């Protein structure tokens, strides 16, 4: 990311795994440190198709509250987009409320 070009110099970058963030919808995050809806290894076999969509984070939430006048969110989405008419954040399941 070119911070100077985007006017993001001087921002404090925070990890979504630390306070003040609240992470929900990723029940195995503490053990695996992955934003995934199912565990990588399960006692029961996971069908390959279900295993693939477990990487799509729809339903997961990262919540926080701020009084900041500026907000920037950086993310890396290693999965190929599935919706060709959606913007990249929408493909990643990012919805800003």
């Amino acid at each position: 990311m070119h911070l100077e070009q985007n006017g993001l110099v001087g921002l404090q970058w925070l990890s979504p795994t630390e306070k003040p963030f609240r992470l929900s919808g990723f029940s195995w995050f503490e053990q695996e440190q992955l934003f995934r809806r199912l565990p990588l290894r399960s006692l029961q076999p996971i069908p390959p198709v279900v295993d693939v969509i477990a990487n799509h984070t729809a339903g997961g939430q990262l919540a926080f509250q701020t009084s900041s006048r500026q907000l920037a969110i950086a993310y890396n989405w290693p999965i190929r987009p599935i919706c060709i008419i959606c913007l990249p954040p929408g493909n990643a399941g990012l919805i800003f409320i």
Side-chain angles (χ1 to χ4, degrees):
M1 180 185 305
H2 300 283
L3 299 178
E4 296 82 17
Q5 292 176 344
N6 294 317
L8 301 178
V9 175
L11 289 183
Q12 177 186 1
W13 292 96
L14 304 172
S15 169
T17 62
E18 300 170 0
K19 290 188 178 192
F21 298 104
R22 186 181 73 245
L23 189 62
S24 60
F26 303 103
S27 299
W28 295 270
F29 188 83
E30 281 189 34
Q31 294 84 7
E32 299 181 352
Q33 298 295 298
L34 293 172
F35 294 102
R36 185 178 152 89
R37 295 187 295 171
L38 293 173
L40 279 176
R41 291 167 200 79
S42 173
L43 297 175
Q44 301 295 321
I46 299 173
V49 172
V50 175
D51 189 54
V52 168
I53 63 172
N55 291 309
H56 294 269
T57 57
Q61 295 180 352
L62 177 67
F64 64 95
Q65 185 174 356
T66 183
S67 60
S68 176
R69 301 186 92 209
Q70 244 186 337
L71 176 67
I73 297 175
Y75 68 95
N76 179 18
W77 192 248
I79 298 171
R80 189 172 158 217
I82 56 173
C83 177
I84 61 170
I85 62 170
C86 295
L87 294 172
N91 267 302
L94 296 176
I95 300 172
F96 304 101
I97 299 174

